[in-house]
Amino acid sequence: VQVVESGGALVQPGGSLRLSCAISGLTMDDYTTGWFRQAPGKEREGVACISNLDDSTFYITSVKDRFTVSRDTANHTVYLQMNSLRPEDTAVYYCATGASPVVIRFGTCQRIPEYDYWGQGTQVTVSS
């Protein structure tokens, strides 16, 4: 299984970015995919999740109404659209997959141990 993120960049506050997560080697429909981030000196945190079974989603409070997670099954890709970016969004963003399709329903999709496969991360820097 390979998980490859892309799309990170330097962006000004208030700007937008779209991160991509290309997944190969497993059937996307069977799992939940999550986006995590880790800022310098902080623990990795779950940001958003999407169940590839029923398209249900989860967002942490700080990104709700600014970030949108979506998927393109035909292209084996999950996206994270990030709008109204803030300096506190600066972090390495990771994509992870392999979690059960029901973790959103159970309220555990933002937990790191739920995921079996991780990408290498992509840097997002929000600064003027």
Side-chain angles (χ1 to χ4, degrees):
V1 177
Q2 283 194 319
V3 180
V4 181
E5 306 96 334
S6 61
L10 170 64
V11 63
Q12 291 188 343
S16 297
L17 279 177
R18 188 177 78 160
L19 304 183
S20 299
C21 173
I23 300 169
S24 60
L26 82 169
T27 303
M28 282 182 59
D29 284 350
D30 293 341
Y31 300 102
T32 293
T33 299
W35 283 98
F36 293 74
R37 66 185 180 187
Q38 188 165 19
K42 294 189 177 182
E43 294 186 354
R44 191 173 300 189
E45 65 170 349
V47 173
C49 320
I50 184 165
S51 169
N52 296 338
L53 180 65
D54 59 9
D55 280 337
S56 57
T57 56
F58 167 85
Y59 301 92
I60 57 173
T61 300
S62 61
V63 307
K64 202 171 291 185
D65 299 327
R66 299 190 298 123
F67 290 11
T68 302
V69 60
S70 62
R71 65 186 181 103
D72 180 347
T73 303
N75 289 312
H76 308 285
T77 302
V78 175
Y79 301 99
L80 184 67
Q81 177 68 42
M82 305 186 296
N83 299 327
S84 302
L85 282 162
R86 304 167 180 169
E88 54 264 39
D89 295 318
T90 295
V92 177
Y93 281 71
Y94 298 89
C95 177
T97 194
S100 166
V102 298
V103 290
I104 292 177
R105 188 184 307 169
F106 292 163
T108 61
C109 81
Q110 71 273 36
R111 295 183 184 176
I112 292 172
E114 296 285 359
Y115 296 85
D116 294 324
Y117 309 105
W118 291 79
Q120 80 290 349
T122 186
Q123 176 70 47
V124 172
T125 302
V126 184
S127 175
S128 55

